Amino acid sequence: MISVTSKSRYAVLALAELARSGSDPVPIAQIAERRDMPVQFLEQLFSTLRRDGLLTSQRGVKGGYRLARPAEEITVLDVVHALDGKVGEEAKEAGGIWEEGVDALRSVFGATTIADIARREAEAAGAGIYHI
């Protein structure tokens, strides 16, 4: 009923990495290495996120990806909707606790931004946000 795949989880972590890296484009291989993710998998995710307006890309020697909007304006729910579609649509039909559960999930994901995720990671690691 609630289908949030690992694609969304990996994408949120990769976007948090971009947020922590600053505003310059970051090569996808660098993100993949830092986050221990397969480059090809990340390329597929980033292609979808770029089409949905969450990322921009730049070609060339200083190319890479960057967030299309400030990290404070991109929610986890935006990422999940881009990669997994509308979460829990079938829960509306089931009603009751199923619908309440999906509403709670949407509320938390909608209130949590990529900046929040990056900040939580930095605090957990005992470091501040770094800029390259």
Side-chain angles (χ1 to χ4, degrees):
M1 241 189 229
I2 301 172
S3 56
V4 178
T5 66
S6 61
K7 293 187 302 186
S8 290
R9 185 171 55 89
Y10 281 109
V12 166
L13 296 176
L15 294 184
E17 185 65 38
L18 283 175
R20 293 180 71 195
S21 296
S23 61
D24 291 333
V26 180
I28 200 164
Q30 190 174 24
I31 298 165
E33 182 181 327
R34 287 181 188 167
R35 293 298 179 141
D36 194 28
M37 297 177 187
V39 174
Q40 296 84 357
F41 181 58
L42 206 51
E43 285 172 345
Q44 291 172 358
L45 300 180
F46 275 23
S47 176
T48 300
L49 295 173
R50 187 181 51 76
R51 278 193 307 272
D52 276 30
L54 298 176
L55 291 176
T56 60
S57 61
Q58 179 176 321
R59 293 181 183 214
V61 176
K62 294 189 178 192
Y65 286 87
R66 69 172 69 122
L67 299 176
R69 303 189 308 254
E72 295 81 9
E73 295 178 15
I74 301 173
T75 68
V76 172
L77 190 60
D78 293 333
V79 177
V80 171
H81 280 176
L83 295 170
D84 292 320
K86 298 282 185 189
V87 177
E89 284 297 306
E90 64 280 1
K92 289 182 180 179
E93 295 173 15
I97 194 167
W98 303 109
E99 187 172 6
E100 291 173 29
V102 168
D103 288 344
L105 177 76
R106 286 181 182 166
S107 176
V108 171
F109 282 5
T112 306
T113 67
I114 296 302
D116 295 330
I117 299 296
R119 199 170 13 262
R120 288 178 186 183
E121 287 183 342
E123 289 170 2
I129 294 179
Y130 61 92
H131 298 278
I132 298 175

